[in-house]
Amino acid sequence: MKNFAKIFLSVAVCMSLANAEKVQHVFETPKDTTPFNGVELDWGVDLTFTFQGLDQNYGAEIKDGLALPTADLDLEAKVMSGFNVKLETMLSSHHHHETFVKGGYATMDNLDFIYPGFAKGFMDNATISVGVNDINYGDYHFRRTDNADVMRNPFINNMGIEGYMQAGFLEVLYRMPSLNMFVLGGITNGEVNPDDIADGQGKDAYGFYAKAGWDSQISDSTRVRLTESLFMIEDTSKSRLYMGDKAGNVPRKIFGSDDFGAVWNAVSGYKDLTASNTNLFIDCDKTGTEFFGLFEYADGVNQSDEDFTMVHYSAEVVQRFAGDKLYAAARYENATVEREGDALDDELTQYQVGLGWFLSKNAMMKVEYINQERKNIASYGQDVKFDGYMVSAALSF
């Protein structure tokens, strides 16, 4: 309880710093159509404290305590008409205790820097993005905890399997406003540091991804969004799609890993991979109810050319109260992986229940119970499990 009180006090004391709302775009960022009146610079800071009280049946005993606080610093600049750049830096993370540049990228909402009006008919509804960042595969990456950036996630922990990658990319997003739809296509090298690429090792393989979505306010109080994403890569030895996080997991010391034990890289070592990801989001302002569902199917071959298939799904419900200041949330997740030559399928099941409280637009607290089980995974030699509670407090300004 003393540690819990310290977290609460830290937030209460720092609330005086939270004097500017940090804008959170739930999904894709809208086009920037504002006029250019000179270079504009903006910045944002995230700071999160987390206390964990977890138990597990594999690996060393986990001691209750406060984890290393995490912090981010983001710099954004508008440098030309419709041309914005962003630099994301992790000041402290569970995997990189020292300052680490997560990535940087540019978004172009017009091509007037080539000459005024260039490709205007296309660019009126398009955005081109290039750099190093989260690739836009699925919708889950918009809702996950990203190091200290936790406001968008109603839970403390992320899912047990994450189709999520930070890498170099180039993508084009095209909107069709009259249909409430959009389409997107992109390419990625799967690498944050291209100097790691070695010829002849398959590391120079490029992945291709695409996304199509329908997002509509079907009534005054109800928004529905349905998206389908696809990712494809061949002849690679860098299986990054399910191990793309550079910050480390929220909980520490899970299953003998300091930083990445809480998330299962279910198809580790793939050579060829095709994955599809379907997401449904429903938000009803009138009742304060929110639903987010995911269904993912992936198949391919490993480095030994053995087949595998993964089926992964999750469903979460968030109920908000008191003018969205308070909420309760629950999530269920399951995944099975069938591997050539294995008698039994590998399986992960995770469920989470939590409560959240927005002390202000810039400060919040969460408490959560999490239970994760993994079965039939040969590397463990037994069925493994961790469960317990976590508490976090966060500032974003």
Side-chain angles (χ1 to χ4, degrees):
M1 289 301 295
K2 290 182 179 179
N3 286 298
F4 182 88
K6 289 177 182 177
I7 296 174
F8 184 87
L9 182 60
S10 297
V11 173
V13 169
C14 293
M15 279 181 63
S16 60
L17 298 174
N19 55 8
E21 180 181 1
K22 180 178 180 180
V23 177
Q24 292 283 359
H25 299 294
V26 176
F27 298 108
E28 288 82 9
T29 304
K31 280 186 70 68
D32 176 14
T33 58
T34 59
F36 180 70
N37 298 310
V39 174
E40 301 173 16
L41 181 65
D42 196 7
W43 58 276
V45 173
D46 303 308
L47 177 63
T48 300
F49 304 88
T50 304
F51 181 90
Q52 67 179 40
L54 302 172
D55 296 310
Q56 62 182 357
N57 68 352
Y58 182 87
E61 178 185 359
I62 305 174
K63 295 183 179 180
D64 296 354
L66 187 68
L68 176 72
T70 54
D72 298 328
L73 173 63
D74 295 342
L75 298 177
E76 300 180 63
K78 182 170 185 171
V79 297
M80 290 181 284
S81 173
F83 195 111
N84 295 272
V85 294
K86 184 173 184 178
L87 175 67
E88 298 179 318
T89 303
M90 297 185 292
L91 301 178
S92 172
S93 70
H94 289 171
H95 186 56
H96 293 279
H97 300 174
E98 74 288 356
T99 298
F100 179 82
V101 175
K102 173 192 168 183
Y105 60 97
T107 57
M108 291 164 274
D109 288 301
N110 65 51
L111 299 177
D112 289 357
F113 62 90
I114 299 177
Y115 66 78
F118 181 79
K120 184 178 185 303
F122 175 75
M123 292 303 298
D124 280 347
N125 292 312
T127 298
I128 301 172
S129 302
V130 60
V132 176
N133 191 40
D134 312 341
I135 70 168
N136 195 349
Y137 168 75
D139 283 348
Y140 163 73
H141 68 97
F142 292 113
R143 297 172 62 85
R144 69 185 297 277
T145 290
D146 186 12
N147 198 42
D149 183 3
V150 306
M151 294 283 188
R152 59 191 182 176
N153 187 356
F155 303 94
I156 294 176
N157 287 279
N158 289 321
M159 292 205 301
I161 293 178
E162 295 192 291
Y164 169 74
M165 181 192 293
Q166 298 170 10
F169 74 99
L170 168 66
E171 69 181 37
V172 179
L173 169 67
Y174 188 79
R175 304 168 182 85
M176 294 169 276
S178 63
L179 300 175
N180 297 315
M181 297 181 66
F182 67 88
V183 292
L184 176 146
I187 183 172
T188 177
N189 66 351
E191 298 283 346
V192 171
N193 182 2
D195 288 342
D196 288 341
I197 295 173
D199 290 339
Q201 299 300 312
K203 296 182 180 181
D204 54 351
Y206 282 83
F208 300 89
Y209 58 98
K211 187 175 187 178
W214 173 74
D215 191 336
S216 180
Q217 193 76 30
I218 62 173
S219 72
D220 291 341
S221 63
T222 304
R223 176 187 179 188
V224 178
R225 175 182 166 102
L226 179 65
T227 63
E228 179 69 26
S229 299
L230 181 69
F231 179 90
M232 296 182 295
I233 194 168
E234 293 182 351
D235 192 27
T236 181
S237 62
K238 285 289 189 179
S239 51
R240 295 295 196 196
L241 184 60
Y242 298 98
M243 55 174 291
D245 190 4
K246 302 300 184 292
N249 300 159
V250 179
R252 307 298 309 281
K253 310 292 185 180
I254 301 298
F255 301 148
S257 172
D258 283 349
D259 304 324
F260 295 104
V263 174
W264 179 34
N265 185 5
V267 293
S268 174
Y270 63 74
K271 184 172 77 172
D272 300 344
L273 177 72
T274 300
S276 65
N277 190 312
T278 306
N279 295 123
L280 174 64
F281 172 74
I282 303 173
D283 183 18
C284 184
D285 287 339
K286 188 174 182 179
T287 63
T289 306
E290 184 178 301
F291 172 84
F292 181 75
L294 175 151
F295 180 82
E296 186 172 27
Y297 180 86
D299 64 11
V301 298
N302 62 20
Q303 298 299 321
S304 300
D305 289 323
E306 296 169 330
D307 294 333
F308 63 82
T309 301
M310 179 182 75
V311 177
H312 175 217
Y313 63 90
S314 70
E316 62 188 62
V317 177
V318 181
Q319 182 62 54
R320 303 186 186 275
F321 312 91
D324 290 347
K325 291 182 179 179
L326 303 173
Y327 68 84
R331 175 160 65 197
Y332 176 81
E333 177 188 7
N334 179 267
T336 57
V337 181
E338 180 182 354
R339 305 182 194 275
E340 182 180 340
D342 287 1
L344 298 173
D345 294 349
D346 299 349
E347 183 176 11
L348 175 143
T349 302
Q350 177 172 299
Y351 62 86
Q352 299 160 254
V353 291
L355 300 172
W357 174 25
F358 283 91
L359 288 79
S360 74
K361 293 179 179 179
N362 308 93
M364 74 176 304
M365 295 190 66
K366 308 180 198 177
V367 59
E368 174 178 305
Y369 172 79
I370 181 171
N371 181 301
Q372 184 188 116
E373 298 181 10
R374 305 182 194 179
K375 298 180 179 180
N376 308 322
I377 300 175
S379 59
Y380 296 126
Q382 66 179 79
D383 293 347
V384 298
K385 170 184 176 180
F386 79 89
D387 72 324
Y389 71 95
M390 299 188 71
V391 181
S392 79
L395 289 167
S396 291
F397 56 93

